[in-house]
């Protein structure tokens, strides 16, 4: 079974360094990231993800981050974060 115990910093680093997201701003203790689709992705909208800068991200919040990031499979998303952190 893949781990689901990630810090906000783990998720942030993978989304920025591997996922092609960029840091837009920080609001309170949340890091706001944006992904702009390349021209080859017609009909794909910009994605905005809010990652809490916490020591541990709850499962519900992790699900919301995966959805906002465009992940189709939550388990695969967690595995991807775990492999790239």
């Amino acid at each position: 079974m893949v781990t689901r115990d990630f810090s906000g910093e783990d998720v942030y680093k993978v989304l920025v360094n591997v996922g092609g997201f960029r840091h837009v701003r920080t609001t309170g203790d949340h890091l706001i990231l944006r992904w702009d689709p390349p021209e080859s992705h017609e009909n794909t909208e910009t994605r905005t993800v809010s990652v809490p800068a916490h020591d541990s991200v709850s499962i519900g919040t992790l699900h919301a981050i995966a959805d906002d990031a465009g992940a189709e499979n939550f388990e695969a998303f967690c595995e991807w974060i775990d492999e790239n952190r």
Side-chain angles (χ1 to χ4, degrees):
M1 179 163 187
V2 81
T3 185
R4 297 176 182 175
D5 184 27
F6 303 112
S7 69
E9 183 179 351
D10 290 337
V11 176
Y12 171 83
K13 284 182 178 180
V14 173
L15 289 175
V16 170
N17 294 333
V18 181
F21 283 79
R22 63 184 169 83
H23 184 199
V24 178
R25 69 182 180 279
T26 302
T27 303
D29 64 349
H30 286 74
L31 308 163
I32 311 303
L33 309 176
R34 179 169 295 156
W35 177 81
D36 294 310
E39 291 183 21
S40 62
H41 284 74
E42 292 182 18
N43 302 322
T44 302
E45 295 184 16
T46 298
R47 295 185 181 129
T48 302
V49 177
S50 175
V51 179
H54 299 161
D55 291 336
S56 181
V57 177
S58 71
I59 297 297
T61 302
L62 195 56
H63 269 283
I65 291 169
D67 289 343
D68 291 346
E72 295 178 8
N73 180 310
F74 179 69
E75 292 295 323
F77 177 79
C78 290
E79 198 170 299
W80 178 68
I81 296 292
D82 192 34
E83 289 172 358
N84 291 288
R85 64 176 164 164

